[in-house]
Amino acid sequence: AQTVTQSQPEMSVQEAETVTLSCTYDTSESDYYLFWYKQPPSRQMILVIRQEAYKQQNATENRFSVNFQKAAKSFSLKISDSQLGDAAMYFCAYRSGDTLAGSYQLTFGKGTKLSVIP
Amino acid sequence: ETGVTQTPRHLVMGMTNKKSLKCEQHLGHNAMYWYKQSAKKPLELMFVYNFKEQTENNSVPSRFSPECPNSSHLFLHLHTLQPEDSALYLCASSQDPSGGYEQFFGPGTRLTVL
């Protein structure tokens, strides 16, 4: 079974600075998808960024980028120019690429609570 | 409305009550999910429905009973719950396999069992 580990329960960053959230995962598969989700306080969980394992290029979405190290099974999220609205719980998630298995399950880490200091 | 909606947003119930949580997605997706989110634990997948057919049940106790009458609606019927069932219950939907596997989440129902 796949597992996802987020080793930082809480982190903080100064506004306008850069912060990196770590995520490692365990799998025997070669085809899979990785996600970072953001859950602001009392608000809906939304997708921040997605990475397909077969792509060597790291995904980027504006101020958000990932460092995907497939061999090391590491998938960290970098937030540049942090803003107050970035304060939230961040969840790393794994999804098998085996569509024939018929499973759409996402496996989530426990989350990292990010605080942004004005 | 757009996206994924859930009602009620908050629910307090006794252990002998029967209640239902409702989820509706307005995205035309084919798959819907129920998750349980407890403090300091990873999100736990409870049920998956694809085109109204249940495809996964992750060993969820029978006091939780899902219902998916069509691809847009998903219910979670609750009866004789325990205090440890208090949690945030999240509904999600996705378009698989063509939708890039992104799941869209609702705001959740905060359930308290007394």
Side-chain angles (χ1 to χ4, degrees):
Chain A
Q2 293 82 19
T3 58
V4 177
T5 302
Q6 293 179 249
S7 59
Q8 307 150 315
E10 295 188 29
M11 293 204 55
S12 62
V13 62
Q14 292 279 355
E15 194 175 5
E17 296 296 308
T18 295
V19 65
T20 299
L21 309 183
S22 65
C23 172
T24 58
Y25 57 94
D26 186 26
T27 183
S28 59
E29 299 177 329
S30 59
D31 183 22
Y32 50 87
Y33 299 80
L34 297 165
F35 306 85
W36 278 99
Y37 279 87
K38 169 186 177 181
Q39 187 179 36
S42 301
R43 295 183 65 184
Q44 285 171 252
M45 191 176 307
I46 58 173
L47 179 69
V48 175
I49 201 164
R50 169 179 54 225
Q51 175 80 42
E52 292 88 343
Y54 63 85
K55 290 186 177 179
Q56 294 184 342
Q57 186 173 8
N58 289 326
T60 62
E61 286 287 342
N62 300 314
R63 298 182 294 106
F64 298 87
S65 62
V66 299
N67 184 5
F68 174 49
Q69 301 290 327
K70 191 172 184 179
K73 298 179 182 176
S74 171
F75 183 60
S76 60
L77 174 70
K78 185 171 80 171
I79 306 174
S80 304
D81 186 24
S82 297
Q83 301 175 359
L84 295 178
D86 295 333
M89 283 291 292
Y90 286 83
F91 294 94
C92 179
Y94 171 102
R95 198 263 200 227
S96 171
D98 182 4
T99 56
L100 292 178
S103 171
Y104 305 138
Q105 180 170 344
L106 282 180
T107 302
F108 285 84
K110 290 186 177 183
T112 296
K113 182 179 181 181
L114 179 66
S115 300
V116 180
I117 304 166
Chain B
E1 288 201 67
T2 60
V4 181
T5 57
Q6 291 185 243
T7 54
R9 294 293 307 274
H10 300 272
L11 178 63
V12 179
M13 59 187 290
M15 289 191 288
T16 58
N17 292 157
K18 290 185 179 180
K19 296 286 184 183
S20 296
L21 310 185
K22 179 182 177 182
C23 175
E24 184 174 1
Q25 59 97 358
H26 311 267
L27 302 168
H29 289 166
N30 63 309
M32 296 187 75
Y33 313 76
W34 278 117
Y35 287 91
K36 176 183 179 181
Q37 186 177 25
S38 305
K40 302 189 186 304
K41 293 178 67 175
L43 271 76
E44 301 171 68
L45 178 68
M46 300 175 71
F47 302 103
V48 181
Y49 278 82
N50 185 28
F51 286 114
K52 303 187 299 178
E53 298 297 322
Q54 187 180 124
T55 57
E56 294 206 33
N57 175 342
N58 276 6
S59 303
V60 180
S62 59
R63 57 186 184 269
F64 295 91
S65 175
E67 178 189 2
C68 189
N70 54 61
S71 294
S72 299
H73 293 86
L74 185 64
F75 294 89
L76 187 63
H77 303 301
L78 316 172
H79 63 98
T80 60
L81 294 191
Q82 305 298 312
E84 60 265 29
D85 296 323
S86 298
L88 182 68
Y89 288 83
L90 295 172
C91 175
S93 70
S94 69
Q95 183 63 30
D96 278 327
S98 60
Y101 309 118
E102 176 182 356
Q103 293 186 13
F104 292 77
F105 286 83
T109 295
R110 175 68 63 184
L111 174 67
T112 302
V113 181
L114 301 177

